[in-house]
């Protein structure tokens, strides 16, 4: 063997020994250090996870407690609402009897002495009759709200002449319009419209809309009622040239007890129940109700539409789901 071959063999041996030594040192120290570091990191993570689990458990317990309190609060709120609805119904019912008595006696006094009582007596009797009329309307609204909130509000559908209904309501409201100098106009539909709905309740909706329009229209203003048939729907519009409605107020105007801030004097004349009841009546017929106004000083148009033929219960439910 030559000297060069011996040198190469020796070099290979030394390299092999160095490799083995490096592997041993790496395994002995570096890997052990890495394992130790990994174990520490893993231990820290486990501690953090345990801490987070404890915090989460505490939050869950707190949330469960809040849910229990909310459930109890909802139960108490439901109970109070039921009590309030019953109170409103009982109060409205019991107050109507003495109001009817007051109204009846005042009417008798006016008939018995149409001229002998003097101006002051006549004015006083008129004021009594107006006050009892207002209170009776309020009692009726409270009873309707009570029925709506308790789920006892129902409508009874039967065929009737919608043209005749509008004429009757406009005729009754014309007295109030004349007192204020309002020009109350009805645009007649050329064909007879037969509707299957609750005549009394629909007349209640129309009376409310026309009455509000007369109330808000300026002295000497105008109120127009028009109706027509469109795709199986009877549509009715009531327009006035009153103070108009803010865009931001449109979404709240049908809420219970909501009253416009546009005119503080007019605000004192009602309780903000009529439009809410009208909405419930129209919805109960499977219809829609709304208002349009270009803004303050531009007047307003209240509208509602109901199906010309009454929706069957399953159809009404399906229509509600589609909305």
């Amino acid at each position: 063997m030559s000297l060069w071959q011996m040198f190469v063999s020796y070099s290979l041996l030394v390299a092999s020994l160095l490799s083995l030594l490096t592997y041993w040192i790496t395994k002995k120290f570096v890997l052990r250090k890495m394992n130790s570091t990994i174990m520490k990191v893993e231990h820290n993570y486990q501690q953090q996870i345990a801490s987070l689990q404890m915090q989460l458990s505490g939050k869950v317990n707190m949330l469960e407690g809040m849910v229990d309190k909310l459930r109890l609060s909802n139960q108490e709120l439901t109970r109070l609402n039921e009590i309030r609805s019953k109170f409103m119904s009982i109060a409205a019912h019991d107050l109507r009897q003495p109001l009817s008595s007051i109204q009846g006696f005042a009417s008798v006094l006016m008939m018995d002495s149409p001229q002998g009582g003097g101006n002051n007596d006549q004015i006083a009797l008129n004021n009594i009759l107006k006050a009892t009329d207002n209170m009776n309307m309020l009692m009726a609204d409270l009873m309707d709200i009570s029925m709506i909130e308790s789920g006892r509000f129902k409508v009874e559908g039967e065929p009737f002449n919608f043209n005749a209904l509008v004429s009757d309501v406009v005729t009754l409201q014309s007295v109030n319009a004349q007192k204020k100098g309002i020009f109350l106009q009805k645009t007649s539909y050329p064909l007879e419209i037969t509707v299957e709905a609750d005549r009394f309740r629909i007349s209640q909706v129309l009376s409310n809309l026309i009455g509000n329009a007369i109330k808000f229209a300026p002295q000497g203003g105008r109120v127009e009622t028009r109706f027509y048939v469109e795709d199986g729907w009877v549509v009715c519009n009531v327009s006035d040239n009153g103070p108009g409605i803010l865009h931001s107020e449109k979404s709240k105007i049908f809420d219970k007890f909501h009253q416009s801030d546009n005119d503080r004097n007019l605000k004192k004349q009602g309780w903000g129940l009529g439009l809410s009841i009208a909405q419930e009546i129209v919805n109960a017929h499977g219809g829609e109700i709304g208002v349009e106004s270009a803004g303050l000083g531009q007047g307003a148009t209240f509208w509602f539409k109901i199906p010309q033929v009454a929706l069957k219960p399953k159809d009404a439910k399906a229509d509600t789901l589609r909305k």
Side-chain angles (χ1 to χ4, degrees):
M1 179 181 295
S2 64
L3 183 61
W4 172 252
Q5 290 176 335
M6 290 178 62
F7 177 74
V8 171
S9 299
Y10 180 74
S11 298
L12 291 173
L13 179 61
V14 171
S16 299
L17 291 173
L18 288 173
S19 298
L20 290 172
L21 181 62
T22 302
Y23 172 76
W24 182 79
I25 292 173
T26 301
K27 184 177 179 181
K28 187 72 174 177
F29 297 101
V30 177
L31 292 180
R32 182 180 296 176
K33 184 68 174 176
M34 289 177 64
N35 287 335
S36 177
T37 303
I38 291 172
M39 290 178 65
K40 288 181 179 179
V41 171
E42 185 180 359
H43 180 68
N44 290 335
Y45 279 143
Q46 288 177 348
Q47 286 184 330
Q48 292 179 9
I49 290 172
S51 176
L52 290 173
Q53 286 177 338
M54 290 181 63
Q55 294 179 20
L56 181 61
S57 177
K59 297 292 184 183
V60 169
N61 291 335
M62 184 184 300
L63 183 60
E64 289 177 349
M66 294 174 65
V67 168
D68 288 338
K69 290 181 179 179
L70 182 61
R71 179 176 54 80
L72 294 175
S73 297
N74 285 336
Q75 290 177 350
E76 180 65 12
L77 184 61
T78 300
R79 187 183 70 85
L80 292 176
N81 278 334
E82 291 176 353
I83 293 174
R84 184 185 59 128
S85 296
K86 289 180 181 178
F87 170 77
M88 287 171 57
S89 178
I90 293 171
H93 181 271
D94 290 349
L95 284 173
R96 295 188 80 172
Q97 181 60 40
L99 282 174
S100 297
S101 299
I102 294 171
Q103 191 174 32
F105 286 127
S107 299
V108 169
L109 288 173
M110 290 193 70
M111 288 187 296
D112 286 347
S113 180
Q115 296 179 345
N119 278 338
N120 290 335
D121 290 342
Q122 294 295 318
I123 292 173
L125 290 171
N126 275 324
N127 289 336
I128 291 173
L129 288 174
K130 288 180 182 178
T132 53
D133 283 340
N134 290 334
M135 289 299 294
N136 276 323
M137 287 189 290
L138 173 60
M139 295 301 103
D141 286 347
L142 288 176
M143 291 188 71
D144 284 342
I145 289 293
S146 175
M147 292 174 64
I148 290 168
E149 292 184 344
S150 63
R152 295 181 291 112
F153 185 80
K154 295 180 180 179
V155 294
E156 300 292 337
E158 60 180 3
F160 65 88
N161 188 320
F162 193 81
N163 309 56
L165 169 70
V166 175
S167 296
D168 291 344
V169 174
V170 169
T171 300
L172 290 174
Q173 291 292 334
S174 62
V175 177
N176 294 328
Q178 290 173 4
K179 289 179 181 178
K180 197 175 176 182
I182 301 295
F183 176 61
L184 180 58
Q185 179 183 3
K186 183 194 74 172
T187 302
S188 298
Y189 190 70
L191 302 176
E192 183 177 299
I193 302 174
T194 300
V195 178
E196 188 176 344
D198 192 318
R199 192 182 195 280
F200 170 74
R201 290 300 184 181
I202 296 301
S203 68
Q204 187 178 354
V205 173
L206 189 55
S207 295
N208 183 278
L209 297 185
I210 296 178
N212 274 354
I214 293 172
K215 180 172 70 173
F216 283 97
Q219 188 78 25
R222 61 169 181 81
V223 173
E224 180 183 3
T225 301
R226 57 189 297 265
F227 58 95
Y228 54 92
V229 176
E230 183 178 64
D231 298 330
W233 295 85
V234 177
V235 185
C236 188
N237 296 333
V238 178
S239 302
D240 65 68
N241 62 339
I245 300 170
L246 289 170
H247 180 74
S248 59
E249 195 177 10
K250 290 181 182 179
S251 60
K252 301 180 292 183
I253 201 163
F254 292 97
D255 293 345
K256 287 193 293 289
F257 303 107
H258 175 76
Q259 292 177 307
S260 174
D261 292 325
N262 296 343
D263 193 320
R264 294 186 180 275
N265 292 325
L266 292 175
K267 186 175 181 179
K268 298 177 182 179
Q269 297 182 18
W271 295 84
L273 294 174
L275 289 178
S276 175
I277 294 171
Q279 184 181 50
E280 292 291 340
I281 293 172
V282 172
N283 288 344
H285 284 83
E288 298 178 21
I289 190 170
V291 60
E292 301 296 335
S293 177
L296 293 181
Q298 302 298 316
T301 297
F302 282 84
W303 59 268
F304 71 91
K305 66 177 186 177
I306 57 173
Q308 190 171 2
V309 178
L311 292 176
K312 296 178 182 179
K314 62 178 182 179
D315 295 334
K317 184 177 180 181
D319 185 67
T320 302
L321 292 175
R322 282 196 296 271
K323 294 177 184 177

